[in-house]
Amino acid sequence: ITARKNSTHPIDVRFMEWGATKNDQDQYRAQLRMQSETDVCISGPGTSLMSPPFMRAGSFLINVGHCHTFGDHSETVRIPWYMEQYMAEGATSYQKCLYLKSRTRCNGMNLTELEELIYQAYNDRNYQLPLPPGSNLPPEAQVFKELCETVGPAECDKMLDDHNKNGDRWLETIVYEALEYQSKDGWGYFNRTLLRQIRKKYEHLLMEIPESKKGPV
């Protein structure tokens, strides 16, 4: 970005500190105003993803995600984690959401890739509205969506109820067979065989799961 600051398409970059709005309504209003005038918002997952729906029609959100690390059966497990992608998909059909690549996200933050996403947003700025359903989902959510559509509403509800037992769980734990979904003795409820069939279709986009990390069928 710095190298292109004198290009024909200069970028005005501003940073927003969410913590500054605490107990300060004027600061909160100022941040919402700034966001409403923003063409591209770049954010990691978390509460900061609650406000992009206030942005204007035709804007972009770039969710850089993060690599979530946790202990799983005496091992360290790391998977890409985008979390509130439901806000980009369900809260607005007038804003495009782009994601850093799931397949390489746990290799670190790729700044060249991030720059490419910014310029992709610039080049695609005249996209057609409204967006069709599913347009703003990362590959993990696409896998989960197809899994739910295949098993049907009743089975999907059962899977989600089970998924929410322990709190702090996101669909990535199911898609990557992590935590309670890794072991055959885990209490995570899902159709492992079907999940793997669907995941196979998206494997070029998803982080690869080593055979040693996969649970038994």
Side-chain angles (χ1 to χ4, degrees):
I1 296 172
T2 302
R4 301 191 190 188
K5 65 181 180 180
N6 294 321
S7 71
T8 55
H9 305 301
I11 296 177
D12 177 14
V13 179
R14 303 182 186 184
F15 293 89
M16 191 174 291
E17 183 183 353
W18 302 107
T21 65
K22 186 177 181 180
N23 300 322
D24 189 338
Q25 292 187 3
D26 290 338
Q27 180 67 248
Y28 181 63
R29 292 190 185 96
Q31 289 198 4
L32 286 181
R33 189 177 302 110
M34 182 192 298
Q35 192 131 27
S36 71
E37 298 167 351
T38 298
D39 296 308
V40 181
C41 174
I42 303 170
S43 176
T47 307
S48 58
L49 293 180
M50 296 295 116
S51 59
F54 290 100
M55 294 170 65
R56 65 174 182 78
S59 58
F60 285 82
L61 168 65
I62 297 178
N63 183 343
V64 299
H66 77 107
C67 185
H68 192 68
T69 303
F70 46 82
D72 190 359
H73 303 284
S74 301
E75 295 183 83
T76 298
V77 176
R78 303 172 74 236
I79 61 175
W81 207 252
Y82 296 98
M83 297 173 69
E84 290 89 355
Q85 59 263 49
Y86 60 84
M87 289 298 295
E89 172 62 19
T92 173
S93 61
Y94 55 83
Q95 179 184 72
K96 265 193 178 181
C97 186
L98 307 175
Y99 299 86
L100 286 184
K101 294 176 182 176
S102 300
R103 191 165 183 81
T104 55
R105 182 61 187 85
C106 282
N107 295 338
M109 176 78 78
N110 188 321
L111 297 182
T112 299
E113 182 187 340
L114 177 57
E115 183 178 353
E116 290 172 352
L117 289 179
I118 294 171
Y119 279 92
Q120 178 184 333
Y122 177 82
N123 291 329
D124 293 345
R125 63 191 181 281
N126 295 318
Y127 62 87
Q128 187 173 357
L129 296 172
L131 295 173
S135 299
N136 282 334
L137 294 177
E140 290 83 2
Q142 293 176 39
V143 170
F144 188 79
K145 178 174 179 286
E146 187 168 338
L147 178 64
C148 272
E149 289 173 342
T150 304
V151 300
E155 283 292 293
C156 186
D157 285 348
K158 183 176 180 181
M159 180 169 58
L160 287 170
D161 287 343
D162 188 80
H163 183 59
N164 290 323
K165 282 181 182 177
N166 202 35
D168 193 26
R169 291 290 187 269
W170 299 88
L171 59 85
E172 290 91 345
T173 57
I174 296 178
V175 173
Y176 289 110
E177 301 181 40
L179 295 175
E180 59 269 17
Y181 300 95
Q182 198 275 336
S183 169
K184 68 177 180 180
D185 299 320
W187 48 259
Y189 175 84
F190 73 124
N191 186 325
R192 194 186 301 275
T193 300
L194 178 59
L195 170 66
R196 291 184 180 180
Q197 291 173 355
I198 296 172
R199 198 171 62 211
K200 182 75 174 176
K201 296 161 57 176
Y202 296 86
E203 64 180 357
H204 62 294
L205 300 172
L206 297 167
M207 185 191 77
E208 185 177 0
I209 305 176
E211 287 298 324
S212 62
K213 300 290 186 182
K214 292 181 181 179
V217 175

